[in-house]
């Protein structure tokens, strides 16, 4: 969470146009009026609007290391966790800047270049562009990518992090001893496009993350969630997580964010370690 004030240390924007400006530096107006949303493990309380029903027959939830798809995921995270004043000067450049920072940080984490992270996977939920193009223009423009000739849109995303703790977060207590080095993991940057809430997409990506964690040999999986984020808490409880600990009030005040809960779930180990 150190890089972007998202729910991960570092954690949509501009589809194919990204390649034309990605290498150029973007000047940021530090006086730009921005209101950061409450930092949480889920963006499910961020926006209230009519949900678009979807056909899950072409819905895919999978790990990815594709740069195009990672960029789309970074864009969805910025779109979900930040709320900008529409009238702000330079808002498009600033949003692109934030997305690029998360994109580069995400690539580093997946490549194993971030200290403290043994392994990181980006898990995305995607739908064909054709299913959304008539009802979610902004989402499609922001989070589109091409997969083997098919245009798709990242509609949900999270990171699975094998590590002892996440920076600026309270650490889990399980397992203890030597096993904690390789058997503990955290979910972060969990978000679903606001237009598609109440379609069960959050549950689907969390379920996929649990399966991947089991394949890694993870026995104890954690997620942090803002204490007042009832939809996110309900999602994790439905997924089998239970309460383990609370963030101290002084820490939340120091970091200028809502206080967090730490939720835990035990997983069966599917691989020999």
């Amino acid at each position: 969470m150190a890089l972007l004030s998202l729910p991960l240390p570092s954690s949509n924007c501009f589809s194919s146009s990204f390649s034309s400006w990605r290498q150029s530096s973007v000047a940021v107006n530090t006086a730009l009026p921005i209101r950061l949303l409450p930092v949480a493990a889920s963006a499910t309380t961020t926006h209230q609007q009519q949900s678009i029903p979807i056909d899950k027959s072409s819905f895919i939830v999978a790990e990815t290391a594709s740069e195009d798809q990672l960029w789309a995921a970074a864009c969805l995270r910025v779109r979900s966790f930040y709320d900008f004043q529409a009238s702000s000067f330079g808002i498009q450049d600033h949003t692109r800047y934030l997305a690029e920072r998360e994109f580069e940080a995400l690539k580093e984490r997946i490549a194993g270049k971030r200290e403290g992270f043994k392994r990181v996977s980006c898990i995305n939920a995607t739908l064909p562009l054709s299913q959304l193009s008539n009802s979610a223009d902004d989402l499609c423009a922001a989070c589109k990518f091409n997969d083997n000739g098919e245009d798709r849109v990242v509609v949900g995303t999270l990171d699975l992090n094998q590590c002892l703790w996440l920076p600026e977060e309270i650490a889990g207590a399980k397992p203890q001893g030597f096993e904690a080095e390789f058997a503990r993991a955290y979910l972060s940057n969990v978000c679903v496009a606001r237009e598609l809430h109440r379609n069960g997409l959050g549950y689907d990506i969390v379920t996929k993350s649990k399966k991947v964690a089991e394949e890694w040999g993870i026995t104890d999986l954690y997620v942090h969630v803002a204490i007042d984020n009832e939809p996110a808490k309900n999602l994790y409880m439905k997924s089998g997580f239970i309460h383990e600990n609370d963030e101290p009030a002084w820490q939340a005040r120091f970091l200028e964010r809502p206080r967090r809960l730490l939720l835990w779930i035990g997983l069966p180990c599917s691989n020999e370690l």
Side-chain angles (χ1 to χ4, degrees), residues 60-77 102-103 105-112 119-126 143-148 150 152-161 189 205 208-209 212 215-216:
I60 297 175
V61 184
E63 297 179 86
T64 186
S66 158
E67 288 202 2
D68 284 349
Q69 195 174 153
L70 293 179
W71 168 250
C75 288
L76 180 61
R77 293 171 188 192
E102 172 59 9
F103 172 70
L106 181 54
K107 288 196 299 180
E108 288 186 6
R109 294 193 298 267
I110 291 173
R119 191 173 182 179
V120 175
S121 178
C122 176
I123 298 173
N124 291 334
T126 70
C143 307
K144 182 179 71 174
F145 69 99
N146 188 273
D147 181 25
N148 295 320
E150 180 187 30
R152 298 185 68 87
V153 180
V154 172
V155 296
T157 181
L158 63 75
D159 291 339
L160 174 64
N161 310 274
N189 290 324
I205 57 174
K208 176 64 176 179
S209 72
V212 174
E215 293 170 2
W216 289 4

Side-chain angles (χ1 to χ4, degrees), residues 77-88:
R77 293 171 188 192
V78 173
R79 189 176 186 267
S80 299
F81 289 110
Y82 288 82
D83 192 15
F84 303 98
Q85 298 175 12
S87 59
S88 298

Side-chain angles (χ1 to χ4, degrees), residues 14-23 68 71:
F14 312 98
S15 65
S16 58
S17 64
F18 167 62
S19 59
S20 63
W21 57 261
R22 178 168 61 184
Q23 301 302 329
D68 284 349
W71 168 250

Side-chain angles (χ1 to χ4, degrees), residues 28-244:
V28 179
N29 179 1
T30 57
L32 187 69
I34 299 171
R35 179 175 66 82
L36 293 186
L37 296 171
V39 177
S42 170
T44 53
T45 62
T46 300
H47 300 272
Q48 299 295 328
Q49 65 179 60
Q50 185 68 32
S51 179
I52 300 171
I54 63 171
D55 175 7
K56 284 194 173 181
S57 64
S58 52
F59 178 68
I60 297 175
V61 184
E63 297 179 86
T64 186
S66 158
E67 288 202 2
D68 284 349
Q69 195 174 153
L70 293 179
W71 168 250
C75 288
L76 180 61
R77 293 171 188 192
V78 173
R79 189 176 186 267
S80 299
F81 289 110
Y82 288 82
D83 192 15
F84 303 98
Q85 298 175 12
S87 59
S88 298
F89 176 76
I91 198 67
Q92 185 177 39
D93 283 347
H94 190 67
T95 306
R96 288 178 175 178
Y97 169 81
L98 292 172
E100 181 156 347
R101 290 188 67 182
E102 172 59 9
F103 172 70
E104 296 297 338
L106 181 54
K107 288 196 299 180
E108 288 186 6
R109 294 193 298 267
I110 291 173
K113 297 180 180 179
R114 284 297 176 98
E115 184 176 354
F117 292 83
K118 298 181 71 67
R119 191 173 182 179
V120 175
S121 178
C122 176
I123 298 173
N124 291 334
T126 70
L127 284 167
L129 176 67
S130 58
Q131 186 176 150
L132 298 170
S133 56
N134 294 327
S135 52
D137 291 343
D138 178 65
L139 173 64
C140 294
C143 307
K144 182 179 71 174
F145 69 99
N146 188 273
D147 181 25
N148 295 320
E150 180 187 30
D151 287 332
R152 298 185 68 87
V153 180
V154 172
V155 296
T157 181
L158 63 75
D159 291 339
L160 174 64
N161 310 274
Q162 185 180 24
C163 56
L164 289 176
W165 60 79
L166 294 180
E168 297 185 353
E169 300 284 10
I170 52 177
K174 305 181 185 70
Q176 297 183 347
F178 174 74
E179 289 187 11
E181 290 286 341
F182 55 81
R184 183 188 304 167
Y186 298 82
L187 302 183
S188 63
N189 290 324
V190 184
C191 59
V192 170
R194 56 183 175 264
E195 298 90 342
L196 303 179
H197 289 178
R198 297 179 293 280
N199 278 292
L201 305 189
Y203 182 83
D204 292 336
I205 57 174
V206 170
T207 298
K208 176 64 176 179
S209 72
K210 289 159 60 179
K211 293 178 181 177
V212 174
E214 289 178 26
E215 293 170 2
W216 289 4
I218 300 299
T219 59
D220 298 272
L221 183 61
Y222 286 92
V223 67
H224 297 87
V225 60
I227 198 168
D228 60 351
N229 192 337
E230 293 300 328
K233 287 191 289 185
N234 290 338
L235 164 64
Y236 299 128
M237 298 297 182
K238 179 180 177 182
S239 300
F241 286 83
I242 61 174
H243 175 270
E244 180 177 287

